[in-house]
Amino acid sequence: MLPQVLASGLSAGSIYALMALALVITYKTTEVPNFAQGDMAMVSAFIAYMFLTDFETGFIFAFGAALVFAFLLGVGFEVLLLRRMRKPTHLNLIIMTLGFTLALFGFAGWKWGADQRQFPFPVSANEVIRFGSVSISTLSVATILIAGILMLLVFAFFRFTKLGVAMQATQQDPIAARINGVPARAVVGLTFGISSVIGTVAALLTAPLITLDPTLMWDALLKGFAAAVLGGLNTPVGAVLGGYLLGVIENLFGAYISVEFKSVVAFLIIVIVLWFRPSGLFGRHHERKV
Amino acid sequence: MSFFAVDGLTMRFGGLTALDDVSFEVDQGMIFSIIGPNGSGKSTAFNCISGIYQPTAGKIYFEGEGISGLAPHHIARLGIARTFQNIELFSTETTIDNLMLGRHQHMHSGVWSGVAMLGRATSAAREETENRERVQWIIELLDLVQVRDRPVGELPYGTQKRVELARALAMEPKLLLVDEPSAGMNADERAEVAERMRELRAELGVTILLIEHHVQLAIGLADRVLALNFGKPIAQGAPEEIRQHPEVIKAYLGDG
Amino acid sequence: MNDRHIDVVIEPTRDHYEDIQLFTARGSWIKLALLLVVLVSLPLLLPGYRVFTLNYMAVFVIVGLGMNVLVGYTGQVSLGHAGFLAIGAYTMVLLMTRLAVPFPIALVMAGCVSAFFGFLLGLPALRLAGPYLAIATLGFGLAVTQIIGHSALFGGHMGLVVPDAMVGPFPLSGDVSKYYVIVGITFVLALGVRNLSVTRVGRAFRAIRDSEIAAATMGVDVAYYKTLSFAVSAALTGVAGGLLALMTGFISPGVFTFTLSLMFLAMVVFGGLSSITGAVLGSIVMGYLNLEMDAFQELPVLGPALEGFSARFMSTVGLPNFGWVVTGMLIVFTILLEPRGLYGLWIRALDTMKYSKSADAELSRSGSGAD
């Protein structure tokens, strides 16, 4: 039973890790937890659905369109709303992301209704592959692979490309980065774009697993935050590890303790981590200077 | 044991040593100045004393008791008040409400008595009225009568500095830490600040620990002076000694 | 502004109670009397189903007061207040059905139990600021509905029927009798929160919002007051939950959603953070919006237009969701254009009026000077 539970945990954890990564890279740049992350991804998934069903395009075109839309949505959110606030206090920034998420939620419900829709996907959630005693759906295998590859790409981007390195420099020290000729504002916008794309990949992998409706990403958003808190809100690698860990813990809890209260695990983890190790398992604590 | 003493105070942030083995003693009723160029660790010392930073090493004693490691609100309750270099007022509140915050530790109403403030005779109302009367003289002393009911965020810089000082005085402290009272002021205003400090000591008998960038003001006011440079104490003594101390002169000339 | 200076100068022995007095001038007593007359006579003047709307708005106002204490005063965000509303509602109903506790006592208990959970949730605030707390409250709100939905004790997803309530010998049967209870409690709580805000505890709350460090160096135990504000806020919301159960007669986990929590946040943001009047106004507007969401197409003029637009570009079945778009946009544009909300607009209007008045005075003075 245990290997089976671990496999399910890894698959669920892939989604959480993607959400956590998306949340952390914007958090590192702006110190704002983006509560709109989930619904931005949800609306982008609906865009893919619209192309697939209304315009009957192929998967590649539909998913490509969704990712482009997600990128523009992320950049637009930062450039047109977050950046233009009169009093960008922490509280106001958080409230802004919440207002935006509510508007997106309403928009999706208005446009597509609250029906739970089957989301077409190239691989099936019902087709099963066996590895010894472990049986795992092709969708789960695809999820694990796609998420893994995407995250490696993101890390490679930040480490090895000129733009990625510049973005990281801005995250660490905006003023120094600006002095060195990195346009900080553009970088912040770009970060929101990239993070929105990552979140959307998570949404596109979630939708075929459950069904597509405006609440698609509520659960994933909470899990993403829980994973990020678990791993450390300031460490992308930690957050990703936190995602996998959360997936596994949650499935262990579901298998051995209680299935009904499985989703409460995320909340418990948040509270426990915040209580005993606020900087997360892999994060470092910074003392703020006055 | 002296009234207030700092013994071997050291504060490191990561690899940076902001304060390095600083010791001094302050007698009751004194004006004690800490001088030093920018970044010499003066404000860090204040933050350690008021409990905002936990010092890496060293002890702080107030009226014979060790206070290092206590939370800021405990230290405040012992009778230590402070102002900040970059004003930390409650900017959306009025002057009087800022001062009333200074009365916080001397008052007692909680949630229930606050909610049940239904008339002049209820306990919370009586307490409020009494304490408002009590701070009235501070408002008059620091010339804040005209801005009593205005949100402090919209007041000019110099006035905000006075409100902050008034708020600290409303706490009726035994030891007052004043951080850069003359920052951003011209010569006339500086003279006024000096006069005010002397007045406070004379009228209230409060002991003053003063951080001041402007050396002449700091030395002119003080009974005793400590000079810091790069977190290290370079000289300590009576004002005239410090004025002629070669290390101090060097530090300030080197600073430009 | 100038009058005030002169006041102070010519009146050295001022009455300090004036600062905190509830009703300072004779005018405010008249206003209060008017308000009471309106509140008392409203249910008699309006058609029956509108009284239900009023009750609903009053419940929202109580939540708004609670959100105001937490978000407006101490500057902490909660995305889980629907959870406290649920805790209050279920506590009251379970006490009444299982233990036959009379309604008034059950309602007080609803507030207490909710406050206890608020205190627990506020505990992490002892050590943490900003984002962490918001994240924890998000998890809290979702966890509460999860637990309720999966427990037989709470009636699971099917929900619970609320028993008939009595106040002493009087049964609360119709909307009108419930109205007087709900609005009466709302009125009293609003006065209580107002008193709290001008006294020591309220001042400490707001000090924490403006500068935690300065508050601590004034002797304010920041962690204690942050937790306390959570408890006070949760208590108010718990009472609101009990009253919501009373007025609707039925509760189920589907009521207490994440979006409802966001709507609660919207009320205080839109009304004006840290202003009681603002919170009340914002809550009334949002309460109305939330209740009327299913009936947008019945609005005069706007209704048919919306319906046409929906049929052409969006979807007609999804039209109720337009309410969430409006709520979200209200938050976004409030923060973007006037972070102090409706209250801020009011202040600005007053300032403009004052400014033009004093400018007039200035002109006439300089005019006479030239003569």
Side-chain angles (χ1 to χ4, degrees):
Chain A
M1 180 148 174
L2 189 64
Q4 180 70 51
V5 172
L6 290 179
S8 318
L10 207 60
S11 162
S14 298
I15 305 281
Y16 306 160
L18 283 177
M19 284 304 283
L21 181 63
L23 291 166
V24 164
I25 60 174
T26 46
Y27 182 76
K28 267 190 75 146
T29 323
T30 55
E31 294 212 342
V32 180
N34 182 6
F35 286 97
Q37 193 83 60
D39 285 342
M40 285 161 69
M42 177 271 296
V43 170
S44 304
F46 264 112
I47 296 291
Y49 178 80
M50 198 172 73
F51 274 97
L52 286 173
T53 56
D54 294 357
F55 308 140
E56 295 177 0
T57 63
F59 284 115
I60 296 181
F61 187 86
F63 292 170
L67 295 180
V68 170
F69 175 83
F71 184 79
L72 295 177
L73 186 64
V75 174
F77 177 43
E78 203 280 322
V79 172
L80 299 178
L81 295 179
L82 286 179
R83 191 177 292 182
R84 295 185 190 272
M85 286 170 51
R86 288 192 171 199
K87 254 182 92 187
T89 59
H90 274 234
L91 180 66
N92 285 349
L93 285 163
I94 290 181
I95 292 172
M96 176 64 99
T97 71
L98 290 166
F100 190 54
T101 210
L102 198 52
L104 288 175
F105 173 80
F107 175 81
W110 189 14
K111 173 95 184 138
W112 292 291
D115 297 344
Q116 302 187 322
R117 295 157 192 261
Q118 288 297 328
F119 188 77
F121 202 69
V123 294
S124 150
N126 304 321
E127 213 173 274
V128 166
I129 307 175
R130 288 188 189 284
F131 300 96
S133 64
V134 179
S135 51
I136 180 168
S137 72
T138 42
L139 178 63
S140 293
V141 174
T143 301
I144 293 170
L145 288 178
I146 292 172
I149 292 169
L150 178 65
M151 285 185 283
L152 285 179
L153 281 177
V154 170
F155 286 122
F157 169 76
F158 279 116
R159 174 150 285 205
F160 299 118
T161 66
K162 212 171 154 189
L163 181 61
V165 172
M167 288 175 72
Q168 248 192 332
T170 315
Q171 290 172 354
Q172 267 140 20
D173 191 346
I175 295 162
R178 199 168 308 151
I179 291 167
N180 290 322
V182 179
R185 310 222 88 171
V187 164
V188 177
L190 198 58
T191 310
F192 272 85
I194 292 176
S195 130
S196 172
V197 168
I198 299 172
T200 300
V201 173
L204 292 175
L205 292 169
T206 310
L209 186 67
I210 47 181
T211 48
L212 181 61
D213 72 66
T215 64
L216 177 74
M217 295 304 277
W218 280 11
D219 194 54
L221 179 73
L222 174 65
K223 304 297 167 60
F225 271 122
V229 168
L230 180 62
L233 259 180
N234 272 315
T235 56
V237 181
V240 166
L241 294 177
Y244 287 119
L245 200 56
L246 176 65
V248 171
I249 294 175
E250 205 183 54
N251 276 282
L252 285 173
F253 185 91
Y256 296 105
I257 303 175
S258 156
V259 187
E260 276 110 48
F261 297 111
K262 205 169 106 176
S263 356
V264 181
V265 174
F267 171 63
L268 288 180
I269 284 183
I270 293 178
V271 170
I272 293 168
V273 172
L274 291 186
W275 190 245
F276 291 104
R277 203 179 149 80
S279 47
L281 294 180
F282 310 103
R284 267 170 311 178
H285 191 66
H286 294 280
E287 186 140 2
R288 235 187 43 210
K289 284 198 84 172
V290 184
Chain B
M1 197 87 212
S2 57
F3 177 67
F4 178 78
V6 168
D7 182 21
L9 190 65
T10 302
M11 182 78 210
R12 289 194 198 92
F13 297 102
L16 181 85
T17 304
L19 277 179
D20 192 359
D21 198 17
V22 175
S23 302
F24 58 91
E25 290 187 7
V26 181
D27 293 332
Q28 195 156 15
M30 229 184 202
I31 295 182
F32 188 103
S33 288
I34 303 178
I35 62 168
N38 277 337
S40 59
K42 304 182 301 273
S43 285
T44 307
F46 268 23
N47 286 334
C48 287
I49 295 170
S50 54
I52 294 168
Y53 293 158
Q54 300 298 324
T56 315
K59 293 265 178 243
I60 301 165
Y61 298 93
F62 180 59
E63 295 188 311
E65 290 195 40
I67 61 164
S68 31
L70 292 183
H73 62 270
H74 284 300
I75 291 172
R77 285 173 198 170
L78 293 175
I80 300 181
R82 69 170 291 180
T83 68
F84 294 83
Q85 185 178 358
N86 308 311
I87 302 172
E88 290 275 346
L89 283 169
F90 309 117
S91 55
T92 53
E93 306 286 297
T94 59
T95 301
I96 178 72
D97 277 333
N98 268 275
L99 264 66
M100 287 299 285
L101 236 310
R103 300 300 303 164
H104 181 85
Q105 53 179 324
H106 299 289
M107 297 168 69
H108 308 284
S109 345
V111 174
W112 294 115
S113 50
V115 166
M117 190 191 67
L118 292 174
R120 200 180 276 273
T122 50
S123 70
R126 272 206 314 267
E127 190 180 61
E128 281 291 323
T129 316
E130 274 165 26
N131 280 281
R132 275 162 203 269
E133 275 160 20
R134 258 188 115 98
V135 295
Q136 187 59 33
W137 68 270
I138 301 175
I139 291 179
E140 281 157 21
L141 178 74
L142 291 184
D143 194 18
L144 295 169
V145 176
Q146 306 223 324
V147 297
R148 181 185 185 275
D149 296 309
R150 283 179 50 192
V152 294
E154 61 188 43
L155 301 177
Y157 177 80
T159 315
Q160 290 198 13
K161 283 234 142 197
R162 288 211 306 279
V163 174
E164 217 194 14
L165 185 63
R167 185 180 66 178
L169 289 174
M171 293 167 70
E172 297 182 5
K174 297 172 198 159
L175 175 66
L176 179 62
L177 314 180
V178 188
D179 198 342
E180 302 277 4
S182 81
M185 294 188 175
N186 62 32
D188 288 345
E189 290 162 332
R190 268 203 302 277
E192 204 180 302
V193 167
E195 188 47 46
R196 189 171 306 128
M197 290 297 146
R198 287 198 192 92
E199 200 177 46
L200 290 181
R201 198 244 311 251
E203 285 193 14
L204 309 177
V206 62
T207 310
I208 297 176
L209 190 55
L210 181 74
I211 289 180
E212 185 48 65
H213 186 71
H214 194 269
V215 187
Q216 293 314 319
L217 175 72
I219 296 182
L221 265 174
D223 300 306
R224 208 174 157 77
V225 182
L226 165 72
L228 294 178
N229 198 16
F230 296 111
K232 288 197 183 75
I234 52 173
Q236 192 176 157
E240 50 279 10
E241 290 171 46
I242 296 297
R243 211 169 260 139
Q244 282 143 27
H245 200 287
E247 286 283 332
V248 177
I249 294 169
K250 210 173 84 190
Y252 276 91
L253 286 178
D255 195 39
Chain C
M1 204 163 70
N2 274 326
D3 323 339
R4 210 182 295 164
H5 296 179
I6 292 159
D7 267 358
V8 173
V9 173
I10 58 167
E11 190 198 357
T13 52
R14 57 179 294 153
D15 177 6
H16 290 270
Y17 180 62
E18 252 174 38
D19 286 351
I20 50 168
Q21 205 171 359
L22 197 44
F23 307 109
T24 33
R26 191 156 301 167
S28 64
W29 278 108
I30 294 171
K31 274 187 226 155
L32 176 74
L34 266 177
L35 177 66
L36 280 176
V37 168
V38 169
L39 286 180
V40 170
S41 54
L42 257 185
L44 308 174
L45 302 174
L46 288 175
Y49 69 97
R50 281 289 166 213
V51 179
F52 184 83
T53 312
L54 292 177
N55 289 349
Y56 198 74
M57 294 196 292
V59 168
F60 265 58
V61 167
I62 299 178
V63 180
L65 293 170
M67 288 297 284
N68 182 44
V69 168
L70 187 73
V71 190
Y73 290 166
T74 56
Q76 298 171 280
V77 195
S78 168
L79 315 181
H81 259 52
F84 293 121
L85 195 74
I87 289 174
Y90 276 90
T91 303
M92 190 189 84
V93 172
L94 287 176
L95 283 176
M96 286 170 72
T97 50
R98 305 264 159 161
L99 302 174
V101 176
F103 161 72
I105 298 172
L107 186 64
V108 172
M109 287 306 295
C112 293
V113 172
S114 187
F116 174 72
F117 278 95
F119 174 77
L120 283 188
L121 186 61
L123 279 181
L126 298 175
R127 307 170 48 160
L128 305 160
Y132 294 97
L133 200 66
I135 294 166
T137 57
L138 169 73
F140 169 78
L142 296 177
V144 169
T145 41
Q146 280 283 338
I147 291 172
I148 289 173
H150 286 299
S151 305
L153 174 67
F154 302 111
H157 283 293
M158 303 303 294
L160 292 175
V161 174
V162 183
D164 292 332
M166 310 269 287
V167 176
F170 308 106
L172 296 177
S173 44
D175 282 341
V176 174
S177 60
K178 287 174 185 172
Y179 170 89
Y180 287 112
V181 170
I182 294 173
V183 169
I185 292 173
T186 308
F187 189 75
V188 169
L189 290 177
L191 291 189
V193 169
R194 183 266 167 201
N195 278 345
L196 186 67
S197 78
V198 297
T199 49
R200 179 169 172 267
V201 174
R203 221 168 15 233
F205 283 165
R206 279 169 295 158
I208 290 171
R209 177 197 60 200
D210 283 354
S211 169
E212 259 183 49
I213 287 172
T217 56
M218 303 278 105
V220 175
D221 183 343
V222 172
Y224 170 77
Y225 279 96
K226 276 187 166 182
T227 317
L228 185 65
S229 76
F230 247 101
V232 171
S233 176
L236 287 161
T237 310
V239 170
L243 293 176
L244 183 72
L246 171 76
M247 64 164 290
T248 55
F250 173 74
I251 50 173
S252 72
V255 176
F256 309 98
T257 56
F258 174 50
T259 39
L260 186 64
S261 289
L262 290 187
M263 185 157 244
F264 291 158
L265 187 69
M267 306 189 305
V268 282
V269 171
F270 177 58
L273 287 172
S274 152
S275 144
I276 292 179
T277 320
V280 170
L281 286 180
S283 308
I284 289 174
V285 172
M286 290 290 170
Y288 184 76
L289 184 67
N290 195 30
L291 196 62
E292 297 296 307
M293 249 187 213
D294 292 334
F296 279 127
Q297 57 274 32
E298 285 160 25
L299 288 173
V301 192
L302 198 59
L306 261 177
E307 209 173 1
F309 182 84
S310 299
R312 185 141 166 63
F313 299 104
M314 309 301 275
S315 74
T316 350
V317 286
L319 185 55
N321 284 288
F322 179 65
W324 297 120
V325 178
V326 172
T327 313
M329 286 316 210
L330 278 179
I331 298 181
V332 166
F333 283 105
T334 306
I335 292 289
L336 213 53
L337 303 173
E338 176 48 270
R340 290 174 302 171
L342 284 180
Y343 176 73
L345 286 180
W346 171 243
I347 294 285
R348 269 208 230 170
L350 284 185
D351 277 358
T352 325
M353 269 158 55
K354 253 188 216 163
Y355 178 77
S356 57
K357 242 189 225 168
S358 63
D360 286 351
E362 200 79 5
L363 271 179
S364 63
R365 215 176 304 146
S366 59
S368 62
D371 286 336

